[in-house]
Amino acid sequence: MESPHGAAVSAEDFGLEGPRGRVFRNVTFRAEPGELVAIEGPSGSGRTCLLLALTGRMRTTEGYAETGGLRLPKQAAAVRGIAALGPVPGVSELDPAFTVAEHLGERALLQGRYGSPLRALLRPRAERRAAAEARVDEALEAAGLDPATLPKSGRTSVRDLERLEALRLSVALALIGRPRLLAVDDTDLKLSDAEREQAWALLRSVADAGTTVLAVCSEAPGNTQVVRTAPVTEEAGVEEPAIEEPAAEDAPQEPTTEEETADARPEARRA
């Protein structure tokens, strides 16, 4: 797979305070392009909000951060253009009723229609189809997912996937767009020890190929840069901050007509 140049990520006293108190605070770190960073902390410690903030999908209130040389939160829209979300509950999720092939076909269609330069759209249809298939194959290889090994091959529904298989599919979908930054939530959730090792090996391989990876977890593996989040104080409480919704010009993946919607239904409307 072609190795994109990863995005450096840095933060200085980065924090977010919601209407009912602190969500996360005093986050300071720097990750080089192509590095794997584990965002470690217990549930409720603001780790998912930090992940979304660093990918330009949540506006913060303190300090600053940069992703790929783009300042946050000022240039959040541009950051969304270089960062892709893997699985993030409530934001970027697989549709359990879709099959693996449907998810892959949908994402390839959207990428070809909205994520490619104009000159690519002018190529013959057969050439565009071959390019889309090549992207899907590359992404599947990078994610370590072979649809032929699934119970019903590409016709396997998401609801029938094992947790690790679903993670691989989500990563593959994100990589179809060849992002500079990949963000994954709940990396080690509901995985056995052996599956957890495989999940981290997957993310390590993506980082080694050139894409910077941010991964939320409850316990980070060794030899990984760790950014820790701490629980907010009990009296502060947390109200979920609003997620940054891309403006129309920043979200080309969103079909705008009934005809386009019939052709492709994005799995993550808010990502």
Side-chain angles (χ1 to χ4, degrees), residues 176-197:
I176 287 176
R178 294 174 180 164
R180 297 177 60 193
L181 173 67
L182 170 66
V184 178
D185 195 17
D186 289 338
T187 301
D188 52 5
L189 181 67
K190 297 181 180 179
L191 294 179
S192 65
D193 290 343
E195 291 171 334
R196 189 176 296 112
E197 290 182 6

Side-chain angles (χ1 to χ4, degrees), residues 58-205:
M58 185 168 287
R59 184 170 293 275
T60 52
T61 56
E62 301 172 355
Y64 74 91
E66 285 189 0
T67 297
L70 300 166
R71 189 78 170 232
L72 289 166
K74 184 177 181 180
Q75 296 177 285
V79 171
R80 291 194 292 271
I82 65 171
L85 295 181
V88 179
V91 181
S92 175
E93 297 181 300
L94 298 173
D95 188 325
F98 268 32
T99 66
V100 171
E102 287 171 338
H103 268 299
L104 293 168
E106 174 191 79
R107 184 61 61 90
L109 174 63
L110 292 171
Q111 179 64 35
R113 182 176 296 178
Y114 302 111
S116 300
L118 179 60
R119 63 180 181 274
L121 299 177
L122 300 178
R123 293 183 299 178
R125 179 175 297 181
E127 188 176 335
R128 296 199 307 269
R129 183 181 299 112
E133 291 174 354
R135 277 199 177 222
V136 169
D137 289 343
E138 291 170 353
L140 287 171
E141 182 179 357
L145 180 64
D146 181 1
T149 64
L150 300 176
K152 297 181 181 179
S153 300
R155 295 181 292 106
T156 303
S157 297
V158 166
R159 64 168 59 94
D160 295 326
L161 295 177
E162 299 292 338
R163 161 68 178 158
L164 184 58
E165 293 170 339
L167 175 62
R168 291 186 186 278
L169 176 58
S170 291
V171 169
L173 293 172
L175 294 180
I176 287 176
R178 294 174 180 164
R180 297 177 60 193
L181 173 67
L182 170 66
V184 178
D185 195 17
D186 289 338
T187 301
D188 52 5
L189 181 67
K190 297 181 180 179
L191 294 179
S192 65
D193 290 343
E195 291 171 334
R196 189 176 296 112
E197 290 182 6
Q198 293 180 60
W200 284 111
L202 161 61
L203 299 183
R204 172 65 68 187
S205 69

Side-chain angles (χ1 to χ4, degrees), residues 39-48 216-219 228-231:
I39 300 178
E40 180 187 82
S43 178
S45 63
R47 54 189 191 174
T48 300
V216 166
C217 62
S218 57
E219 184 177 355
R228 291 184 173 85
T229 56

Side-chain angles (χ1 to χ4, degrees), residues 220-265:
N223 301 320
T224 302
Q225 180 173 180
V226 180
V227 177
R228 291 184 173 85
T229 56
V232 295
T233 57
E234 183 176 349
E235 62 271 16
V238 175
E239 180 172 302
E240 183 177 351
I243 295 173
E244 288 283 309
E245 293 288 356
E249 63 270 20
D250 299 327
Q253 73 275 17
E254 183 72 22
T256 57
T257 68
E258 292 183 1
E259 180 180 356
E260 289 172 333
T261 303
D263 290 339
R265 179 168 65 86

